[in-house]
Each structure stands twice: as structure tokens, then as C-alpha cells.
Amino acid sequence: MKYKAIIFDLDGVICFTDEYHYQAWKQLADSMGIPFDRKINERLRGVSRMESLEIILENYTGPALTDSEKEKLAASKNDIYRKSLENMSPSDLSDEVRDTLNELRDKGLKLAIGSSSKNTKFILKQIGLEGFFDAISDGTNITRSKPDPEVFLKAADFVSEDAADCLVVEDAEAGIDAAVAGGFDSAGLGSASKYEKATYRLESFGDLLNVIS
Ligand code: B16
Ligand code: MG
């Protein structure tokens, strides 16, 4: 086996909360008259909530906002987003992802999460994966967002493995950049499936089984 552990990004890899993020940001942006579309949304993948807000505010032309006003805007986006998450259930975990995760575990690999999201544990509970992973590194234990490698280095540390022995699976270019910066091999899916910096470019989640041995 080439790796001892696999570190999975959550949104866009294990499940697809990215559309909910988009709809929540869109609602906030529309209410403030800020132009926001799917192209700008691509820049928010893997990026923290507050940094996402700053990207959206690049097109804001109203009076200057204080830090506390920005916190309130981010909180209101999160309230909208959490309402969507409440409707998620184990049926939002695809058979392909579930079966592949089980096969990887059966091969003796340690499995961890490396996500920027502060909602990680809630999402995992909603999709029936509470307690499944050997470790969770997420937005609640980091101070620097992807492309900084902190979230993946902490995940590797939590499973007591070196970066060189872990594979990072990501859908965001910022996430692949974070993996490279941390000394990890990476597998790109979705938006990162054609990104040249990824060690492997995958068409689907199940392809992981072909690259780990
Ligand atoms: P939250 P990932 C990231 O999740 C999302 O891709 C990104 O759009 C979001 O802003 C970030 O989590 C923070 O999420 O507001 O829930 O803390 O792809 O790193 O799993
Ligand atoms: Mg992601």
C-alpha cells in the first residue's frame, strides 16, 4: 500500500454541500445588492467562512462595514446554510462514497477528515458518518485556511502519520495547493479533477481504489 492514511476534504468530496453554500451566500449577496454568481462562487471552495465573505464583499459598494457587522453577515449566511443542512440525511451519502470508504478501511488505511468547515461534525452526523472517521481536523481547530496546509498537517498528526504517508483527497484547487504545501500527495476530484498540481486527477470517488496500491 502506498499510503497509511487518507485525509478527505468534506464539502465536494464526501458530500455535496457546495450548492447549499452557494444558495446561502447568494441570498445574502442579493439582499445587499452585491453581484454574485457561480464563477465568483468557485473562488469560495475550501475557503473559510470569513474569507469567503471578504471575496463577496469585493463587489460591495455601500458604506464601510465594521468587523462586528461582518461577523453578523457571516452568521446570517451560516443560519441560512444550517437550515439546508438540517434537511440532509444518510441518503445524501452516495453508495459509491460509502462503499469506497468501507473498502479503504478494510484495506487497513486510517481515514480522516480535513475540512475548512466549522459545521463538519453536524454534516457528518446528518449523513450517517458520525464516529466513522479515525480523526477529524476542521474549521474548529485551525487558525489558517487552505491553501495553508494547517488543516491537513493537524489531520496527519491526529492519526499519528507523516505527511509523506498520507493522501489528501480534494475538490478545491486551494485544497490541492494546501496539500502540496504540506508535503502530501493529493487526488483531485470535481473542480480539482483537472488541476495539474494534483498527484492524481480522478473522475470519480471510486477511482481512489486504483491509486492507493
Ligand atoms: P463553514 P471543505 C469548506 O468546506 C467549503 O468548501 C467552503 O465553501 C466553506 O466556506 C468552508 O468549508 C467553511 O465552511 O462556513 O461551514 O465553516 O471543502 O473544506 O470541506
Ligand atoms: Mg471541498
Side-chain angles (χ1 to χ4, degrees):
M1 208 71 69
K2 275 190 213 156
Y3 305 101
K4 293 181 179 159
I6 306 192
I7 303 170
F8 299 91
D9 173 55
L10 182 62
D11 167 41
V13 169
I14 299 289
C15 61
F16 297 91
T17 40
D18 37 2
E19 182 63 22
Y20 300 143
H21 277 295
Y22 173 70
Q23 295 298 341
W25 283 125
K26 179 76 180 145
Q27 200 172 315
L28 181 80
D30 285 353
S31 74
M32 297 173 73
I34 303 172
F36 177 62
D37 57 20
R38 288 181 185 276
K39 184 154 182 277
I40 301 170
N41 188 57
E42 277 300 306
R43 291 174 58 205
L44 312 186
R45 281 185 190 280
V47 172
S48 74
R49 196 180 307 163
M50 290 311 288
E51 286 174 69
S52 298
L53 177 66
E54 290 297 342
I55 291 170
I56 288 165
L57 291 177
E58 287 172 10
N59 292 313
Y60 170 71
T61 51
L65 297 166
T66 63
D67 284 351
S68 114
E69 284 167 332
K70 287 182 186 175
E71 292 283 353
K72 278 192 193 135
L73 291 174
S76 108
K77 178 267 174 177
N78 195 50
D79 287 345
I80 301 167
Y81 177 61
R82 292 273 298 203
K83 289 219 168 63
S84 305
L85 297 182
E86 275 164 22
N87 295 324
M88 290 185 88
S89 71
S91 67
D92 287 295
L93 181 68
S94 73
D95 290 344
E96 180 180 7
V97 171
R98 185 187 293 105
D99 293 350
T100 305
L101 286 173
N102 285 328
E103 275 197 58
L104 293 169
R105 163 131 316 144
D106 289 347
K107 287 178 188 298
L109 285 152
K110 294 180 188 173
L111 308 179
I113 290 285
S115 166
S116 303
S117 177
K118 293 183 172 167
N119 293 299
T120 293
K121 292 197 175 90
F122 181 55
I123 296 167
L124 290 175
K125 183 165 177 261
Q126 291 299 88
I127 61 176
L129 285 180
E130 187 180 28
F132 176 83
F133 291 94
D134 298 300
I136 294 171
S137 174
D138 66 16
T140 65
N141 63 254
I142 54 171
T143 54
R144 296 178 301 279
S145 181
K146 302 167 188 174
D148 189 284
E150 183 182 11
V151 73
F152 297 137
L153 290 171
K154 290 244 166 81
D157 192 37
F158 292 163
V159 293
S160 308
E161 299 294 351
D162 293 333
D165 292 319
C166 301
L167 176 68
V168 166
V169 188
E170 258 291 349
D171 72 307
E173 293 191 0
I176 300 289
D177 290 342
V180 172
F184 297 87
D185 278 3
S186 63
L189 279 166
S191 290
S193 63
K194 296 196 166 46
Y195 192 38
E196 68 281 1
K197 289 193 191 160
T199 316
Y200 312 102
R201 288 170 285 278
L202 307 185
E203 271 180 31
S204 75
F205 194 90
D207 294 342
L208 273 175
L209 294 167
N210 304 325
V211 304
I212 46 119
S213 52

